[in-house]
């Protein structure tokens, strides 16, 4: 048995210190030890006040994620919280670090709450598809009002200690360590020199029932068309906190929590949460240390290069941008400046910090300016010749030990690395546009990339606030391969009888923010056209090829930027309208191929899209391009708009059932063998009674 709390009693103050590294998560052992410590302090006649604090980096940051999806073990957190609330002796909590989820609920049950200035407090349960189930939905609105409580619980976003004080969520922001301040307050209380805030003195927001109900009504209206089950249930619970007697309110919350925890949405969100934590775990990374990076060179000042430079600058690096001439450089630097001005306008950056930051930004038109760079990220035109020439030149300029990265989205990183005398230093860093915003970074590890270079890429991603996913070298890595399969499946449907508008509606209805043809219009149809042209000579002539996209490009329909693509765009408009000319192009293609259009339902569109993505994911796993299924899911969730509450294609395949989806693929393969043939991995898993999730091995 491990003791996860330490208790010391001095002059009537029992200090209970939670010590359950790394983040004092409220696992079963800790819950049990807390209960024991509380009962002992209650029974000890010499104890008059209990101080509850935490050792290490943080106050409990929530439930123990290792217990997610496991059968609950006694005592439950609601029982611990009730015991704190019912304690006849005052309990003062002293928070620091992150008071999140169950951790904040524990504090809400106490009589007095103190926090040090760096504390962040939040209830992120909604992001896991659940609600605060240990009294949070009942206690928080009473303490800070329904409106503010709903804001915190439906967004899941944490707030700083100073804001928590303004809201009345805590009683004081301490100067220095919260634990010492709590002990001083307890001692002063015992000595009769200070009184603790009593429940009677706190504002009871229930007194203003009409405002409370108005906040509930507004929150319900604000939900819009969201199909997530947790937010409406959080609102119901806050309403119950006003309308029901206390105990019934807690029971209502409990029922709602149990209902949510077993929904597929909560399972998918838990999966996404765990996938994020798992992605950085690779044996090679555990054994190596990243290289030191202070100065970064970015080659290219276009949309991607300037986005990457912005992200690096914002993360505190010195950045040098390289462009081919002064004009392009000025334009590139101006893009970075505009991005940072936007951060100032949004209140994310002060004007003074903006100025200091800019002193770390420079630009040049000669590669020699990169002589001192620790990392160079090439974001030039997507063409192998262009990129290999740049890498050959870099080889002669950059200091030994610098990491050389290419931001290619499809090209062969092994060949790019071979253009240098130091392939071990070369890696792919596939950013997503806009790079200062998008969370995903595909780390493409080439055959000869050294492990410390991979470790450096993961450390960089962490500092940039991005999710790094390891990928192997192939055409399109993880994300663009799955995307290509998705588009191929929907292109087949276009020829077979669906319209692009119907397909987009079906996929938006399924949870994507945009349909595949809306995305193509936004990105520009010429990008994928260029790629198809590049691959044309290697294409198997027996493979089904849909030329509708090529036809549209030849008509100058290159997407939003041309005012027309799959949709028609009014001057400057970002959403388009349906265009009969596109339907004519599609109809002509069908006629040319002798295809009789058939009726296609939304359900079929969604099913084929999922089957195509999951099957490509299975191939990617077989080829070891991705280390695990959850990495594929993570790429799709963070880089391609796959709905997080569906967990990603591999998680969805598990949910639908591998046997069922494999049979569906077999049916489709009768129409088109090459594309739809199920990867061998399906059979291997099915035969052994396993799922994709079983390959995620933590
Ligand atoms: N349970 C168990 N382990 C956890 C954990 C948790 N809740 N949160 C983090 N850890 C572990 C991480 O896995 C990591 O372990 P390794 O070093 O072995 O990889 C270690 O703690 C450090 O984590 P980070 O690298 O993320 O540390 P950080 O300092 O960058 O961030 C943090 C700290 C802000 C607390 C961050 O870890 C975090 O956001 N954690 C999750 C918090 C959360 O969402 N908790 C659940 C709330 S919901 C809830 O509580 C529901 C309920 O009651 C039923």
């Amino acid at each position: 048995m491990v003791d996860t709390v330490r208790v010391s009693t001095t002059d009537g103050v029992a200090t209970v210190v939670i010590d359950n590294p790394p983040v004092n998560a409220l696992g079963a052992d800790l819950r049990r030890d807390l209960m024991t410590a509380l009962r002992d302090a209650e029974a000890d006649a010499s104890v008059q006040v209990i101080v509850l604090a935490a050792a290490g980096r943080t106050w409990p940051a929530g439930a123990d994620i290792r217990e997610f999806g496991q059968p609950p073990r006694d005592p439950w957190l609601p029982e611990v919280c009730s015991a704190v609330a019912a304690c006849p002796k005052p309990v003062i909590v002293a928070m620091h670090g992150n008071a999140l989820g169950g951790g904040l609920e524990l504090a809400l049950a106490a009589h007095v709450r103190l926090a040090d200035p760096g504390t962040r407090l939040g209830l992120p349960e909604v992001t896991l598809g659940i609600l605060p189930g240990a009294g949070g939905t009942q206690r928080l609105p009473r303490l800070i009002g329904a409106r503010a409580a709903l804001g915190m619980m439906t967004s899941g976003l944490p707030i700083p200690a100073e804001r928590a004080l303004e809201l009345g969520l805590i009683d004081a922001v301490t100067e220095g360590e919260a634990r010492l301040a709590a002990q001083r307050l307890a001692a002063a209380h015992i000595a009769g020199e200070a009184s603790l805030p009593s429940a009677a003195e706190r504002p009871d927001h229930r007194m203003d029932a009409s405002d409370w109900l108005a906040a509930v009504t507004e929150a319900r209206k604000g939900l819009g068309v969201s199909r997530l089950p947790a937010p409406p249930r959080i609102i119901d619970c806050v309403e119950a906190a006003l309308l029901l007697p206390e105990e019934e309110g807690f029971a209502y919350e409990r029922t709602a929590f149990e209902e949510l925890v077993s929904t597929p949405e909560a399972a998918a969100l838990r999966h996404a949460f765990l996938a994020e934590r798992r992605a950085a775990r690779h044996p090679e990374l555990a054994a190596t240390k990243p290289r030191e990076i202070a100065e970064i060179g970015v080659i290219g000042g276009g949309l991607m290069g300037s986005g990457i430079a912005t992200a690096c600058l914002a993360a505190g690096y010195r950045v040098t941008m390289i462009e081919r001439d002064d004009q392009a450089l000025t334009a590139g630097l101006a893009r970075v400046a505009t991005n940072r001005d936007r951060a100032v306008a949004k209140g994310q950056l002060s004007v003074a910090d903006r100025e200091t930051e800019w002193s770390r930004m420079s630009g040049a038109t000669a590669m020699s300016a990169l002589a001192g760079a620790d990392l160079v990220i090439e974001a030039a035109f997507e063409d192998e010749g262009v990129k290999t020439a740049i890498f050959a030149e870099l080889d002669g300029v950059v200091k030994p030990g610098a990491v050389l990265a290419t931001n290619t989205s499809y090209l062969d990183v092994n060949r790019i690395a071979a253009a240098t005398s130091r392939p071990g230093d070369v890696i792919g860093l596939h950013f997503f546009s806009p790079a200062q915003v998008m969370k995903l970074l595909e780390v493409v590890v080439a055959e000869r990339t050294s492990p410390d270079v991979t470790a450096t890429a993961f450390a960089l991603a962490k500092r940039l606030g991005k999710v790094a996913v390891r990928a192997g070298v192939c055409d399109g890595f993880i994300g663009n391969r799955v995307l290509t399969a998705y588009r191929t499946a929907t292109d087949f449907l276009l020829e077979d009888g669906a319209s692009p508008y119907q397909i987009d509606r079906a996929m938006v209805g399924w949870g994507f923010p945009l349909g595949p043809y809306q995305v193509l219009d936004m990105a520009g149809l010429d990008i994928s056209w260029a790629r198809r042209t590049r691959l044309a000579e290697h294409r198997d002539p027996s493979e089904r090829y849909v030329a509708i996209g090529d036809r549209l490009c030849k008509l100058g329909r290159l997407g939003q930027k041309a005012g027309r693509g799959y949709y028609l765009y009014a001057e400057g408009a970002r959403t388009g309208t349906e265009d009969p000319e596109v339907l004519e192009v599609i109809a002509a293609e069908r006629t040319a191929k002798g295809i009789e259009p058939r009726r296609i339902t939304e359900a079929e569109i969604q099913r084929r899209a999922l089957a195509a993505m999951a099957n490509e994911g299975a191939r990617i796993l077989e080829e070891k391009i991705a280390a695990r299924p959850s990495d594929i899911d993570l790429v799709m969730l963070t880089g391609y708009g796959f709905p997080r509450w569906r967990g990603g294609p591999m998680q969805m395949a598990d949910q639908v059932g591998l046997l069922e989806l494999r049979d569906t693929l077999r049916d489709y393969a009768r129409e088109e063998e090459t594309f739809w043939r199920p990867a061998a991995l399906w059979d291997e898993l099915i035969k052994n009674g396993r799922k994709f999730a079983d390959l995620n091995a933590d």
Side-chain angles (χ1 to χ4, degrees), residues 21-26 57-68 77 98 100-105 120 122-128 130-134 254 257 261 273 277 281 462:
V23 294
N24 288 316
L26 289 155
R57 61 210 269 190
T58 182
W59 176 260
D64 193 326
I65 52 185
R66 286 164 300 197
E67 289 179 6
F68 280 8
L77 189 60
N98 292 285
L100 301 177
L104 184 56
E105 290 184 288
R120 295 182 331 137
L123 292 170
E125 285 82 349
V126 70
T127 63
L128 293 165
I130 52 173
L131 51 74
R254 187 83 264 173
F257 177 87
V261 89
F273 177 94
R277 307 202 149 259
R281 270 184 235 144
K462 180 147 194 181

Side-chain angles (χ1 to χ4, degrees), residues 542-609:
S542 67
E543 229 173 82
R544 179 173 177 185
Y545 181 75
V546 178
I548 294 166
D550 301 354
R551 297 266 177 279
L552 294 178
C553 286
K554 283 180 193 152
L555 291 170
R557 306 193 66 113
L558 300 182
Q560 250 179 54
K561 60 184 172 190
R564 49 199 204 128
Y566 283 93
Y567 292 78
L568 203 57
Y569 298 85
E571 182 78 33
R574 300 188 66 180
T575 43
T577 50
E578 302 184 7
D579 188 351
E581 189 183 290
V582 171
L583 300 179
E584 281 164 26
V585 170
I586 297 171
E589 277 299 299
R590 288 181 194 141
T591 313
K593 286 196 176 174
I595 296 171
E596 187 61 40
R598 64 179 176 85
R599 206 181 88 79
I600 291 164
T601 64
E602 289 211 343
E604 180 181 352
I605 295 169
Q606 295 160 348
R607 171 57 71 112
R608 283 187 185 251

Side-chain angles (χ1 to χ4, degrees), residues 197-221:
S198 73
E201 284 167 22
R202 294 186 197 282
D204 183 349
H205 289 268
R206 278 175 301 178
M207 300 308 285
D208 194 352
S210 59
D211 187 55
W212 188 300
L213 289 172
V216 164
T217 309
E218 272 165 40
R220 285 212 174 100
K221 275 201 196 128

Side-chain angles (χ1 to χ4, degrees), residues 158-243:
I159 55 169
E162 292 72 19
R163 177 72 187 136
L165 181 63
E166 281 168 20
L167 289 174
L169 170 46
I170 56 173
D171 297 293
V173 178
T174 62
E175 278 174 30
E177 215 180 306
R179 181 192 338 183
L180 299 178
Q183 286 169 329
R184 279 196 302 273
L185 179 63
H189 171 71
I190 293 169
E193 292 159 8
S195 56
L196 300 179
S198 73
E201 284 167 22
R202 294 186 197 282
D204 183 349
H205 289 268
R206 278 175 301 178
M207 300 308 285
D208 194 352
S210 59
D211 187 55
W212 188 300
L213 289 172
V216 164
T217 309
E218 272 165 40
R220 285 212 174 100
K221 275 201 196 128
L223 285 177
V225 292
S226 162
R227 283 180 299 165
L228 284 178
R233 297 303 278 142
I234 290 172
I235 301 170
D236 293 344
C237 287
V238 170
E239 188 176 45
L242 175 74
L243 302 179

Side-chain angles (χ1 to χ4, degrees), residues 44-45 54 141 173 185 236 280 327 380 440 444 446 496 511 537 559 578 604 609:
D44 183 342
V173 178
L185 179 63
D236 293 344
Q327 203 188 347
L440 177 62
V444 186
D496 289 344
E537 57 184 288
E578 302 184 7
E604 180 181 352

Side-chain angles (χ1 to χ4, degrees), residues 605-657:
I605 295 169
Q606 295 160 348
R607 171 57 71 112
R608 283 187 185 251
L610 172 66
M613 287 190 257
N615 196 33
E616 191 63 19
R619 290 185 185 136
I620 286 170
L621 287 169
E622 280 174 4
E623 294 166 31
K624 303 204 180 336
I625 297 297
R628 45 176 92 88
S630 67
D631 281 1
I632 299 173
D633 285 339
L634 196 53
V635 165
M636 298 316 289
L637 298 180
T638 51
Y640 295 83
F642 199 104
R644 191 170 170 95
W645 54 274
R646 289 199 186 269
M650 312 319 282
Q651 158 80 9
M652 283 246 33
D654 277 350
Q655 248 175 41
V656 171

